[in-house]
Amino acid sequence: MLEQLLFVLIAIAAIWLFARNVKTIRRNILLGKDIDRSDNPSERWRTMAMVALGQSKMMTRPIAGFFHILIYAGFIIINIEVLEIIIDGIFGTHRILSFAGGLYNFLIGSFEFLAVGVLLACIIFLIRRNIIHLKRFSGVEMKGWPVSDANYILIAEILLMTAFLLMNATDNKLQQLEAAHYHTAGSFPVTSALASLLPNNESTLVLIERTCWWFHIVGIFAFLNYIPYSKHFHIVLAFPNTWYSNLNNKGKFNNMTSVTNEVKAMLDPSFTPPADATPGRFGAKDVTDLTWVNLLNAYSCTECGRCTSNCPANMTGKLLSPRKIMMDTRDRLEEVGNNIDKHGKDYQDGKALLGDYITPEELWACTTCNACTEACPVNIDPLSIIVELRRYLVMEESNAPSSINNMFGNIENNQAPWKYSPADRTNWINN
Amino acid sequence: MNELHIKTMADYMAAGEEPEILFWVGCAGSFDERAQKITKAVATILNNIGIKFAILGTEESCTGDPAKRAGNEFLFQMMAMTNIELLNAYNIKKIVTACPHCFNTLKNEYPGLGGNYEVIHHSQLIQQFINEGRLKIENGETFKGKKITYHDPCYLGRANGVYEAPRAVIEQLDAELTEMKRCRSNGLCCGAGGAQMFKEPEKGNKDINIERTEEALALKPDVIAVSCPFCMTMIRDGVKLAEKEEIVQVLDIAEIATKANGWT
Ligand code: SF4
Ligand code: SF4
């Protein structure tokens, strides 16, 4: 009875904490400016099904893609058992779903294979990160926390899966010993092989089984509360993030309506801009100038580095790394959010995304080639953040490289980015 | 080359006629010496197929693309609105461009400002001519047995999903089309987009066009095919730097089509 009570308390606390974290993140994301992404829902559902659920973009790197899908499938499917664990935990039952008979045995059996697969994949991923040192996982932005974060989660998964398998193994042995409470349920194609390695003492077995059971479920509750602080939040956010992703041609940059109003007024003095038009700031200096989709992107980033490893600027040694753009945006947003929690809504800390996190040198290295948006497995768009920051640099600070300013001057004066006379436009005909 | 007969929109207007299509030449195509040859090739194809087309001539202006990518939305919209006013006054319905940057801007960004046209890239028009049997690849310079690799421009490929049209021309030749590892949606930028064309690259350890050209040259091609005047500049620079300009040609797919037909 005490055990059940303890379980219920832990469960409630874990879920309450998680909900609170999610609420804070949601609040932070909604600090962004509004943008309409509700068009074309059928296409959006399709994109989400393909990219998030089906992980279609992971397969461009087949090895990583395969093991990632293994972990993902394992994670989701094994969680069916968590449902049972929760019911057992509340009511003090043992393997309550076993009434399903053959189906139940089949499921428990396949969970075992999956768990071994997940275990293996996690070990391979650890090796890639820490022994082979895959280049994709290095870079200036991959120092300290991001590195430990990735390792912690892999180790946590390994521990969880080990506990899960050990739990099954002892359960199986207890069933064979016809221990009280441990009625026959499930099939254990993998862990039955471990039976001979386990002690024969019933109370020791029960102790191991209970410890693993608790470790597994408390571990999952802990994991639930770890992910909002981690890049692993992508397991949740990948879904809304792909749903709200950009469906337009990648080359299409948005036309700023605030600018349209001003330009129209300039070209046609009789034009009066709509009353609700707020000029505000041109482009983005801080995270709150970005759209909520940009901010959702930042929280969804898995730090996988596919964007950066495909970025022509990055691969030729420039400072720009699209992954860093996303991580900086997230870090700054967390900072802004913490400030709000501590000092209230209107607190200004005198810092900004542009300057304190991202430098103009990074921004000016971008060729707007869209390799990053194409590569991102969860449809994140670092390019739109880069462009917004450039807009601020150019339109608010007139802070562009001098050659770029010359190009602007030429377009303004000669209607071409080079200093040629418009009268020479047809010279090609006779050249 | 045959004398090119090119009419402007103003000429058509004066004659009370309308062309089938407007050929948007673009700034590079108008002023860059190498790109002018691509412009001529496109005009030659249109002439030979017998399409009634016009250019804007001295009335054409920059689409505003480099300004927009660099973040100068004001300048972009000024250019766009002035151009749209002109295009609408001429009642333009269909535009072909020989530059993926113009193509992208006219196609994707002008509609929101009141400029609605059917916009195609010259590679798509050429593909269409081939499919309709109006353009044959014959009687000209032979590409038989030559190794050709094609470089996807970002603003045609990833930006607008046009991957096959430029390859259609090469596939008509008796040549061997070899792909670079980074091709189609995985293509590597030439380094010129996003207004990089107009500035020095940021500090790094290599120029992007060198990285790309090296990839192409590693295939030992006879021809590197492009379909963008900026890519043309960047790849040519790369080939020159590798001192391979004697053995490797950099050609636009329009030029390949005219050469293969003996129209040059
Ligand atoms: S769009 Fe910019 S940031 Fe993204 S891959 Fe290309 S150069 Fe890099
Ligand atoms: S933006 Fe996308 S591709 Fe880049 S690191 Fe984040 S998840 Fe990976």
Side-chain angles (χ1 to χ4, degrees):
Chain A
M1 196 56 210
L2 192 69
E3 217 176 297
Q4 281 161 257
L5 198 68
L6 189 65
F7 178 84
V8 171
L9 284 178
I10 293 177
I12 290 174
I15 291 166
W16 179 78
L17 264 173
F18 178 70
R20 216 183 57 155
N21 280 329
V22 169
K23 230 179 100 192
T24 310
I25 289 177
R26 194 185 127 86
R27 193 258 339 252
N28 288 355
I29 289 173
L30 292 178
L31 291 174
K33 288 197 299 196
D34 202 16
I35 176 176
D36 184 14
R37 283 279 167 90
S38 58
D39 60 308
N40 211 341
S42 57
E43 178 69 17
R44 296 190 175 282
W45 286 112
R46 212 181 61 85
T47 308
M48 187 177 92
M50 295 264 298
V51 179
L53 195 65
Q55 295 185 22
S56 55
K57 289 173 93 178
M58 288 298 288
M59 277 329 235
T60 48
R61 291 173 194 255
I63 300 175
F66 172 76
F67 286 114
H68 185 268
I69 286 182
L70 193 64
I71 294 185
Y72 165 78
F75 182 80
I76 301 273
I77 297 171
I78 293 171
N79 273 331
I80 298 177
E81 191 164 355
V82 172
L83 190 73
E84 181 182 46
I85 292 185
I86 289 177
I87 302 175
D88 283 346
I90 296 174
F91 298 106
T93 47
H94 185 66
R95 295 197 180 264
I96 185 135
L97 301 181
S98 57
F99 66 84
L103 177 67
Y104 183 80
N105 292 351
F106 170 76
L107 281 176
I108 297 295
S110 38
F111 292 166
E112 292 216 324
F113 287 112
L114 269 173
V116 173
V118 172
L119 208 63
L120 218 74
C122 288
I123 292 170
I124 290 173
F125 279 173
L126 272 176
I127 293 175
R128 284 192 332 156
R129 281 178 183 265
N130 300 289
I131 298 176
I132 306 178
H133 291 295
L134 218 65
K135 183 157 178 293
R136 181 151 61 84
F137 300 125
S138 64
V140 279
E141 67 275 26
M142 296 304 282
K143 301 246 153 67
W145 168 248
V147 177
S148 350
D149 181 22
N151 285 333
Y152 290 160
I153 217 79
L154 289 170
I155 292 167
E157 290 239 20
I158 289 175
L159 292 177
L160 284 176
M161 288 303 122
T162 312
F164 174 76
L165 289 170
L166 202 55
M167 176 184 88
N168 276 3
T170 42
D171 194 341
N172 180 36
K173 186 145 186 179
L174 284 162
Q175 288 178 25
Q176 281 166 10
L177 295 174
E178 293 177 12
H181 198 63
Y182 291 91
H183 59 89
T184 311
S187 85
F188 307 95
V190 176
T191 54
S192 52
L194 300 174
S196 59
L197 300 173
L198 294 169
N200 290 317
N201 181 308
E202 206 180 290
S203 57
T204 320
L205 283 174
V206 172
L207 185 71
I208 300 177
E209 196 273 340
R210 283 291 90 191
T211 311
C212 289
W213 187 92
W214 276 101
F215 183 86
H216 185 71
I217 191 65
V218 172
I220 283 179
F221 286 146
F223 184 80
L224 189 69
N225 280 290
Y226 175 76
I227 51 168
Y229 297 98
S230 155
K231 71 174 185 119
H232 290 86
F233 207 34
H234 77 266
I235 60 176
V236 176
L237 289 187
F239 292 88
N241 197 68
T242 46
W243 202 89
Y244 288 115
S245 60
N246 177 26
L247 299 180
N248 292 326
N249 286 336
K250 286 182 186 303
K252 176 177 181 174
F253 291 13
N254 69 321
N255 292 324
M256 297 168 67
T257 31
S258 50
V259 170
T260 312
N261 288 333
E262 297 218 5
V263 173
K264 274 192 182 149
M266 242 148 85
L267 295 175
D268 171 14
S270 66
F271 172 83
T272 34
D276 59 344
T278 41
R281 203 175 245 176
F282 292 117
K285 181 182 190 193
D286 209 347
V287 283
T288 44
D289 302 322
L290 296 168
T291 69
W292 63 264
V293 171
N294 293 139
L295 304 183
L296 172 63
N297 277 183
Y299 273 115
S300 309
C301 176
T302 74
E303 297 168 15
C304 70
R306 283 170 164 73
C307 52
T308 295
S309 73
N310 281 308
C311 171
N314 188 275
M315 68 176 76
T316 55
K318 278 80 175 174
L319 270 189
L320 173 65
S321 160
R323 170 174 55 192
K324 178 174 176 292
I325 301 286
M326 299 319 299
M327 290 169 69
D328 284 344
T329 304
R330 174 179 169 153
D331 290 349
R332 173 60 186 155
L333 182 54
E334 286 274 284
E335 188 174 51
V336 170
N338 289 340
N339 281 337
I340 292 176
D341 291 337
K342 273 202 211 102
H343 309 284
K345 192 158 71 55
D346 299 315
Y347 181 81
Q348 299 289 335
D349 63 358
K351 288 163 82 181
L353 179 64
L354 179 61
D356 293 301
Y357 287 80
I358 300 172
T359 59
E361 182 178 342
E362 292 164 65
L363 300 173
W364 288 116
C366 176
T367 71
T368 70
C369 72
N370 267 305
C372 50
T373 63
E374 180 76 34
C376 181
V378 291
N379 282 1
I380 287 172
D381 181 1
L383 176 53
S384 66
I385 297 180
I386 294 172
V387 171
E388 283 304 324
L389 295 172
R390 273 191 184 180
R391 282 173 172 170
Y392 182 85
L393 279 178
V394 168
M395 290 190 284
E396 295 278 355
E397 289 191 332
S398 306
N399 179 8
S402 62
S403 46
I404 291 287
N405 281 328
N406 285 342
M407 178 264 287
F408 293 155
N410 290 334
I411 294 182
E412 235 177 298
N413 300 319
N414 306 324
Q415 288 78 53
W418 297 283
K419 217 181 181 74
Y420 291 105
S421 157
D424 293 339
R425 274 209 179 252
T426 50
N427 286 3
W428 61 270
I429 301 173
N430 302 311
N431 267 5
Chain B
M1 183 182 266
N2 295 335
E3 183 92 344
L4 272 174
H5 297 287
I6 311 285
K7 289 206 273 181
T8 61
M9 275 312 300
D11 296 335
Y12 274 97
M13 184 94 139
E17 286 182 65
E18 278 194 2
E20 282 172 59
I21 197 165
L22 173 75
F23 175 23
W24 184 279
V25 177
C27 299
S30 300
F31 298 120
D32 179 273
E33 234 174 273
R34 180 66 186 83
Q36 286 178 341
K37 297 206 175 111
I38 306 172
T39 311
K40 276 183 145 166
V42 174
T44 305
I45 293 171
L46 293 169
N47 267 336
N48 277 284
I49 302 284
I51 298 284
K52 268 172 76 181
F53 75 99
I55 60 168
L56 285 169
T58 53
E59 289 186 287
E60 193 184 284
S61 299
C62 175
T63 57
D65 162 80
K68 180 152 190 128
R69 309 303 139 195
N72 195 337
E73 183 75 6
F74 271 106
L75 186 52
F76 162 71
Q77 292 202 10
M78 291 280 288
M79 299 311 290
M81 285 193 209
T82 325
N83 283 326
I84 289 168
E85 207 173 311
L86 181 74
L87 291 168
N88 289 353
Y90 277 131
N91 196 22
I92 302 292
K93 298 271 168 359
K94 193 168 175 182
I95 304 176
V96 60
T97 80
C99 170
H101 298 268
C102 299
F103 166 69
N104 177 69
T105 309
L106 293 168
K107 176 186 161 76
N108 295 318
E109 290 158 2
Y110 275 33
L113 299 169
N116 294 289
Y117 323 102
E118 183 190 343
V119 186
I120 55 171
H121 182 250
H122 71 297
S123 64
Q124 295 174 303
L125 192 62
I126 294 174
Q127 181 190 38
Q128 186 194 323
F129 291 153
I130 291 174
N131 290 348
E132 293 167 355
R134 294 163 85 183
L135 180 68
K136 302 223 169 45
I137 302 286
E138 59 190 13
N139 301 330
E141 186 184 323
T142 173
F143 286 86
K144 195 170 183 341
K146 287 204 172 152
K147 201 188 240 189
I148 304 181
T149 188
Y150 172 71
H151 163 81
D152 287 279
C154 305
Y155 274 89
L156 192 60
R158 267 191 302 272
N160 288 291
V162 181
Y163 300 112
E164 299 313 321
R167 288 176 168 83
V169 180
I170 306 172
E171 278 155 10
Q172 295 299 307
L173 307 170
D174 237 352
E176 180 196 343
L177 172 60
T178 24
E179 296 287 356
M180 288 180 264
K181 194 165 162 243
R182 292 177 284 200
C183 67
R184 292 195 170 83
S185 62
N186 194 28
L188 178 69
C189 177
C190 72
Q196 295 295 332
M197 184 73 184
F198 306 98
K199 63 186 271 295
E200 286 303 312
E202 299 306 305
K203 262 200 328 291
N205 50 33
K206 199 181 207 178
D207 283 346
I208 295 172
N209 67 323
I210 306 297
E211 169 81 14
R212 184 50 160 175
T213 313
E214 280 174 2
E215 184 178 8
L217 290 176
L219 298 172
K220 304 220 178 315
D222 300 295
V223 177
I224 302 174
V226 295
S227 54
C228 168
F230 289 178
C231 299
M232 171 63 86
T233 305
M234 300 308 269
I235 305 284
R236 274 184 87 221
D237 284 352
V239 172
K240 264 188 233 155
L241 209 88
E243 298 184 341
K244 289 272 162 53
E245 71 264 44
E246 301 288 322
I247 47 171
V248 181
Q249 280 182 292
V250 187
L251 294 173
D252 187 276
I253 50 125
E255 295 176 305
I256 294 180
T258 49
K259 278 181 192 294
N261 278 288
W263 288 339
T264 35

